[in-house]
Amino acid sequence: MTLYIIRGATVTAYASPPARGSEDELRVRSAKEIEASGLTNAQMAAIWNALPGTTAVAKFKDRKTAVQRLWAAFRQLPVASAPAGGSAGPRAGSKQARVIGLLQRPEGATIDEIASAMEWQHHTVRGLISGGLRKKLGLHVVSEKTDRGRFYRISEGESAAQ
């Protein structure tokens, strides 16, 4: 069962729980656990607004609606898994791994979505894509302009060094 760790307004999904936890995080595995958590409606709105691909809200109608919408969005998050070996890639749960997870979704992600999810500036996201992912890791990051804006995604099975 997937574990969702909430730190501030950032949510990360894990296939297996990380070894150590911290006091400033909330761990949930179900909608019932979100409901039972001590999150306020304002905190749930902040978490919702930080999730990629969501439309920002000022507040939710009620707690039940907030929990249902958050749980549905959590289940769409990429699940971080431990890297297969050594330093071949980013550590599970790292910032770089979270960005890669967003870019591996079929629909990809926009600079705005990544910046919002990571609480970064736009130039930081562009730098990570160019330097960290394309150059250092050799990932083939595809940029596509659509009617909704420019989306980036990692193309499976290709590397940047072709």
Side-chain angles (χ1 to χ4, degrees):
M1 177 179 256
T2 306
L3 172 69
Y4 300 94
I5 297 180
I6 304 168
R7 291 182 188 97
T10 306
V11 181
T12 308
Y14 293 94
S16 59
R20 286 188 272 162
S22 66
E23 294 176 15
D24 64 334
E25 69 185 22
L26 173 65
R27 294 177 175 220
V28 295
R29 291 185 184 268
S30 69
K32 287 182 181 181
E33 290 181 7
I34 297 172
E35 176 73 37
S37 73
L39 293 173
T40 65
N41 286 346
Q43 289 172 318
M44 288 192 278
I47 293 167
W48 173 262
N49 292 337
L51 291 170
T54 59
T55 304
V57 297
K59 63 180 183 174
F60 287 106
K61 183 175 79 173
D62 56 29
R63 187 170 182 82
K64 182 179 177 184
T65 302
V67 169
Q68 289 173 344
R69 290 177 84 184
L70 284 173
W71 183 245
F74 285 7
R75 296 180 69 203
Q76 300 301 315
L77 291 173
V79 178
S81 59
S87 62
R91 289 185 323 269
S94 68
K95 293 176 183 179
Q96 192 175 61
R98 290 172 41 208
V99 172
I100 289 172
L102 292 172
L103 295 173
Q104 286 178 332
R105 299 182 306 181
E107 69 273 15
T110 65
I111 296 290
D112 286 336
E113 289 173 342
I114 297 170
S116 173
M118 302 303 296
E119 299 180 356
W120 286 350
Q121 299 280 329
H122 291 168
H123 66 272
T124 306
V125 176
R126 290 191 295 270
L128 175 69
I129 290 172
S130 174
L133 303 183
R134 286 184 172 149
K135 293 177 184 174
K136 288 186 180 176
L137 294 181
L139 297 174
H140 185 70
V141 180
V142 178
S143 171
E144 299 173 351
K145 185 156 181 121
T146 67
D147 56 337
R148 290 184 17 202
R150 184 165 299 277
F151 282 81
Y152 296 85
R153 64 180 176 79
I154 295 176
S155 178
E156 300 296 328
E158 296 180 27
S159 69
Q162 290 185 3

